[in-house]
Amino acid sequence: MILGYRLQRRLDADARRSAIYRISGAVAGLLVSGLFLLVTGRNPVTILADSFEAVFGSKRGIEGVAVQSIPILMCAIGVSLSLRMKVWNIGSDGQFLAGAFVACGIGINVDLPAGVLLPLMMLGSLIGGAIWILVPAAARAHWGVNEIITSLLLNFVAVQLVVWASLGFWRDTTSMVTQSTRSVPFTLPRIPGFDSVSIAFFVPLILALALWVVFRSTKVGYEIDIIGGNPRAASFAGINVPRRVIIVMLTSGAIAGLGGVLQLTGAPGAQALNGGGFSRAYGLSGFIVAALAGASFLGVLVAGLFLSSMFYAGIALQTKGLSVYIIFAIYGMVLIGVAIGETASRYRLYRSVAEMSGPVDLETVTSGAAS
Amino acid sequence: MTDSQHTTSVEVRDVVKSFGGVLALEHVNLEFRVGEVHALLGENGAGKTTLSNILAGIYREESGHIFIGGVERSFHNPAQAIEAGVGMVHQHFRLVNSMSVAENLHLGSPDTPKIVSQRLLIDRARAMMADIGLTVDPEAKIWQLSVGEQQRVEILRVLARGARVLILDEPTAVLTAKEARELFVVMRRLAEGGRTVVFISHKLNEVLEVSDRITVLRGGRHVITREGAGVTARELARLMTGDEAGIEVAHREVRGDDVLVLDGVSARNSRGVEALHGVSFSVRSGEILGIAGVSGNGQTELAEVVTGLRRSDSGRVSIDGAAVTNTSSRRITDLGVGHIPEDRIGVGMVASAPLKDNAVLRHYRDPELSTRRLLKRDRVVEFARSLVEVGRVQTRSVHMPAGQLSGGNQQRLVARRESLLASRLLVAAHPTRGLDVLASKQVQEAIIERRDAGCAVMMISDDLDEILAVSDRILVMYEGRVMGVFNRADYDRERIGLMMGGRTEATS
């Protein structure tokens, strides 16, 4: 008698179950990370306590999280938008940098009053982010080229472009800093009562709510979800799928690009592109947030603030001898946990006595004795 | 075979099987005899496939007993079943397309020598075939063979492993009429050679043609086992469904105007090979034109060209006089064209999306359901509820994913949705494929209802019985060409069958 556990694919996709599994996966990832910290001679409980202290212990901590959350959320929202269509935009880091790059170029080279210059820079960042995903989008829409590889690789190109600008053609020759462009001439106003959080903080919040409404109530949102669910059915319904794919992907890139200008003009001490350090892998964080939230725009806000807290704690704990790369390692664990959870939510575990060993005849399962 | 000398080869006693709490087999008792062709007849979900999967070691019975040649057996896996002499040929073949017949016959068999050469495999394959009395070119690659020949390889593979009981799961579903005839000859010969052939089907005529005895299952229960001789199709249908089955269609001579006109249309399939060669015909208002043919003879491409999902290379298509050659599917839909697609799950719906979203998939642009930008969410739900009601779709809620519906209910939904669109033309591709009798009947009724309302209907099916029953005219397609068109008065099953196999005249 063969006793054993078997997996059976579930027939239905339940959003709530999927969310629970993903969150459990994230928690499991954190626990495994804790185990690794333990093995390397650090006390994960202390680190957790320190993290809490760093984030929630002071106004500075809260502000720090809010500052980090802006670029992370902008990238996450961009990724989520394309994820609604089952398109994996892994290049939001590149789009974020491209947006910042164009905005910086405008900001330091065009001499206009701030009231005109800022909208111009924003427009430029949108275009920059969109251009950075144009080739992956067109290739995906028309030739079915996998966007994961193309969008990912362009990240590296964007980093080099920014490094080049800050070492070369836009370098700030008046400063002692060797790797920095000249600074854009202004910063966004702070939210009253805060020292470092600019009004840019509201942009991702408003954007996420707006997109939530789009997918709840509009024709466009419905069409994008249909494409995500089954592109052939979308064509059947008369939707121009390649065109929609391109538009959504460009919008996804543009949102990350807008994140770039918000960072450039809003983050404390940014104002210039400084080599490879301008984006602290915000695209990566954004991607994890989008995966964790399962492309839900309200979920993105929750997951984004959670990850931003983790990220900020990581930065704060550097003073205690922890490297920021540990945070990236923990990110990896969380992402793996989420991915496993996502997959697991689509299966059911059976304790079986050698039943279900063959392909399950779904027709029989569903309508077996019903007739 | 005479009644006096029969011996039992398989006995099934009190077998019970359930899936997730739903009973698929309820205390089933029956026996198969040596030397008989025994048909297992029943609708989808009647339990025929479950029963045969238990006999073939794919599922395990929950309770009850199975005797093979008088010895009680219970199989954990297909290997044990085949060792006990029970082999099954599945509906979907399990052959490696890029390998030769000889290689496929040896794959996975414990008798295959450890060291082999092509020569040796081919010689051994020839010996097996001579032994069994069935031949296929052992050197041919599987992909080069016709479906009928591939099936023969599957049968050979099972028999070469020593099967005395051969279970064939819906073997004719993929065959032409002529190939089916040939298969029946093989089945008879195997039975006469002392094997037991279990023939699973829901096609009454075939069952009547080939079986010594017939067992009818319904809802997981054994209804009756009786001699094949002397029973009528009508009787069997009643046993299968519990009530008078089959659809009575009132046909009439129609002289409506041409709605759909094709003139010399050619198109390529998805692999870039021309699949339609200069096809010309028309469908009139108020008639059902049945497109008969074995699947893969250009019908898919035809339906797609007509509905704007595929470009044609030459020729003209018009609907109500408006030229629609290579215009968008959206524009064609707007002309009042509905399309029940062949692949209803892959094309016709979004399994992961809620039923309501699927209900409005083709109507959501309607001002009733949306403004320029916004979807009227309450109206969408209302629309979905009414569609569920008129289409008799069985579901708990319109908010649950459409993928959770049973196959029959999915098709009821798609058929009603498309009927609603089809004010002028309905293109129905294999509308009842895989459905049980009741669901088939309801879908056919939806189609006939459109015809009676003056809509032109082009119905593609590879089920000739369905075509003959429902169509007002029949067009036969073979390899992308029109082989002939029959008016209702000149229906000739034999000739249509031959044309489906590529012959124009009865010269076989």
Side-chain angles (χ1 to χ4, degrees), chain A residues 1-2 11-14 86 213 216-223 225-240 350 353-371, chain B residues 17-20 22-24 44-45 49-50 57-60 76 94 219 309 329-330 339 341 343 345-350 352 357-358 360-362 364-365 370-375 377 401 403-404 406-407 417-418:
Chain A
M1 190 166 264
I2 305 166
L11 297 173
D12 54 322
D14 178 1
K86 297 269 158 47
V213 172
R216 206 179 107 94
S217 314
T218 71
K219 247 164 38 178
V220 173
Y222 172 77
E223 288 175 351
D225 276 342
I226 291 294
I227 295 172
N230 182 354
R232 291 172 68 205
S235 299
F236 181 62
I239 299 168
N240 185 340
Y350 262 108
V353 188
E355 77 180 87
M356 299 286 176
S357 55
V360 178
D361 183 347
L362 298 180
E363 193 68 38
T364 317
V365 176
T366 51
S367 63
S371 51
Chain B
K17 174 76 189 172
S18 62
F19 293 100
V22 180
L23 274 172
N44 295 337
T49 303
T50 309
I58 291 169
Y59 298 152
R60 188 110 188 268
H76 297 298
R94 296 165 183 201
L309 294 173
S329 65
R330 216 170 129 180
H339 179 197
D343 181 0
I345 299 168
V347 174
M349 51 187 279
V350 186
S352 59
D357 286 5
N358 279 286
V360 298
L361 184 67
R362 303 257 281 158
Y364 71 94
R365 295 187 190 86
S370 63
T371 61
R372 210 163 81 80
R373 299 197 184 284
L374 295 179
L375 221 48
R377 301 188 334 130
Q404 281 186 28
S406 74
R417 186 185 72 199
E418 298 305 320

Side-chain angles (χ1 to χ4, degrees), chain B residues 109-272:
Chain B
S109 163
D111 298 335
T112 304
K114 291 275 174 287
I115 298 166
V116 297
S117 66
Q118 286 300 326
R119 199 65 266 150
L120 178 77
L121 290 182
I122 289 163
D123 289 345
R124 283 176 54 95
R126 285 223 168 85
M128 285 175 203
M129 291 177 195
D131 228 29
I132 294 161
L134 261 181
T135 39
V136 186
D137 176 8
E139 297 182 46
K141 304 276 192 235
I142 298 299
W143 60 264
Q144 295 170 319
L145 303 178
S146 72
V147 179
E149 287 172 312
Q150 292 183 7
Q151 191 175 55
R152 209 174 294 172
V153 177
E154 282 274 19
I155 293 172
L156 271 167
R157 187 157 75 163
V158 172
L159 295 180
R161 305 273 298 266
R164 304 302 298 167
V165 178
L166 178 69
I167 304 170
L168 301 168
D169 188 6
E170 304 259 357
T172 56
V174 288
L175 301 182
T176 61
K178 179 166 167 286
E179 283 176 324
R181 284 278 132 69
E182 288 168 4
L183 174 70
F184 294 158
V185 172
V186 170
M187 283 162 61
R188 290 256 41 111
R189 205 165 61 218
L190 291 172
E192 273 146 29
R195 289 186 173 85
T196 303
V197 179
V198 179
F199 173 47
I200 301 176
S201 181
H202 59 234
K203 294 186 186 166
L204 302 172
N205 293 335
E206 294 180 346
V207 164
L208 285 171
E209 185 174 340
V210 74
S211 315
D212 295 311
R213 293 198 302 153
I214 298 166
T215 290
V216 179
L217 296 177
R218 185 169 74 228
R221 275 183 292 256
H222 177 250
V223 176
I224 197 175
T225 299
R226 55 160 302 165
E227 301 291 321
V231 69
T232 64
R234 191 163 281 273
E235 238 173 294
L236 284 178
R238 198 163 41 231
L239 291 167
M240 248 168 87
T241 57
D243 69 85
E244 198 84 13
I247 190 155
E248 294 295 328
V249 186
H251 294 278
R252 50 186 183 182
E253 209 46 32
V254 272
R255 283 279 160 260
D257 300 330
D258 284 346
V259 175
L260 173 69
V261 180
L262 274 80
D263 183 13
V265 172
S266 296
R268 280 166 294 163
N269 64 20
S270 304
R271 281 171 294 149

